[in-house]
């Protein structure tokens, strides 16, 4: 299965620090709308900190794909909200 990171700009997807920063930005954005900014920021920090010493390249790729999936899902959600058009397929 191809990496989900290909949907993100390569300067974000290929760099864990930039991926982390983008996740924090999204957490702040969502948190400001939902009034739980600190909770979301702490969740992002905890997940990255928990895996910061990971050395297995396959596991690292899975973790980066998970972060990319979250970012992509949020981007789709925001696009749907702005356009009023559904991009996701619901059964």
């Amino acid at each position: 299965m191809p990496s989900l990171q290909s949907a993100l700009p390569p300067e974000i997807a290929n760099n864990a620090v930039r991926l982390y920063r983008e996740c924090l930005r999204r957490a702040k954005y969502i948190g400001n709308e939902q009034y739980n900014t600190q909770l979301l920021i702490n969740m992002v920090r905890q997940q990255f900190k928990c895996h910061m010493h990971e050395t297995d390249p396959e596991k690292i790729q899975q973790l980066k794909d998970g972060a990319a999936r979250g970012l992509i899902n949020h981007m789709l959600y925001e696009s749907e909200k702005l356009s009023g058009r559904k991009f996701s397929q619901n059964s």
Side-chain angles (χ1 to χ4, degrees), residues 20-84:
Y20 172 70
R21 287 180 183 156
E22 187 59 32
C23 287
L24 284 176
R25 280 188 202 100
R26 293 290 167 166
K28 288 176 186 175
Y29 177 80
I30 295 167
N32 284 335
E33 290 186 341
Q34 302 295 324
Y35 306 106
N36 59 352
T37 305
Q38 200 56 47
L39 174 68
L40 294 175
I41 289 172
N42 287 340
M43 288 172 63
V44 169
R45 285 183 177 152
Q46 183 226 0
Q47 286 300 306
F48 274 82
K49 193 173 188 176
C50 176
H51 300 289
M52 70 189 264
H53 297 294
E54 184 64 55
T55 57
D56 179 23
E58 190 171 308
K59 178 69 175 173
I60 292 169
Q61 188 61 44
Q62 288 175 350
L63 293 167
K64 288 168 77 176
D65 281 348
R69 185 178 300 110
L71 292 173
I72 292 164
N73 285 341
H74 183 257
M75 288 182 224
L76 285 173
Y77 171 79
E78 287 296 319
S79 295
E80 288 176 354
K81 202 165 75 170
L82 289 173
S83 69

